[in-house]
Amino acid sequence: MSKAILYDFLTAEASIYPASHGAAKEGDAIIDMQGYERALIICYSGAVTTDTVFELKHGDASDLSDAAAVSASDILGSEPTLAAATDNECEQFEYIGTKRYLRVDTTAGAGIAGAIIVKGNPRHET
């Protein structure tokens, strides 16, 4: 019996690098989903002084010039708000849409926060 190894089926990439930020922030990296069908988005915080609101953007242009907020029908769970009253939080949700490029932005917040996109369900070529 073959053992499925997560390492072979998942690829993690940072979309917001962990750093101090104030107010709204565009994500630091655009993630290319080519070859993958789904993504787990992990949003986390260190010391937060103002509630940090995360928003996933998607599109088909490599520079996300066509970026749009992801609709609720393309998300399992919900985009998190990490509260200022609770430091060192970690929340996750899943993207099940079909756009090629993703980026996590914050629409509000101040403090230290980051986001990782874990690409999963690799497509198998036949």
Side-chain angles (χ1 to χ4, degrees):
M1 172 184 244
S2 167
K3 292 184 180 182
I5 301 171
L6 286 176
Y7 180 84
D8 292 332
F9 299 104
L10 302 174
T11 302
E13 296 186 45
S15 183
I16 297 178
Y17 305 143
S20 181
H21 69 279
K25 175 181 178 20
E26 187 174 282
D28 296 300
I30 296 169
I31 308 304
D32 186 351
M33 290 294 296
Q34 184 173 9
Y36 293 88
E37 296 177 358
R38 305 171 86 124
L40 181 69
I41 294 81
I42 302 168
C43 303
Y44 58 92
S45 68
V48 176
T49 57
T50 305
D51 290 359
T52 300
V53 180
F54 292 87
E55 180 180 53
L56 184 64
K57 300 283 181 76
H58 66 170
D60 289 316
S62 63
D63 64 354
L64 271 183
S65 56
D66 63 341
V70 177
S71 69
S73 63
D74 286 334
I75 291 177
L76 298 178
S78 59
E79 297 164 306
T81 296
L82 301 183
T86 309
D87 293 339
N88 305 313
E89 286 187 273
C90 185
E91 298 287 338
Q92 65 186 26
F93 63 97
E94 186 173 354
Y95 175 74
I96 57 172
T98 59
K99 299 292 186 182
R100 180 165 172 183
Y101 298 97
L102 302 177
R103 182 185 69 222
V104 180
D105 296 342
T106 58
T107 59
I112 297 175
I116 295 171
I117 295 179
V118 181
K119 302 184 288 187
N121 283 22
R123 292 184 183 101
H124 300 285
E125 296 189 25
T126 56

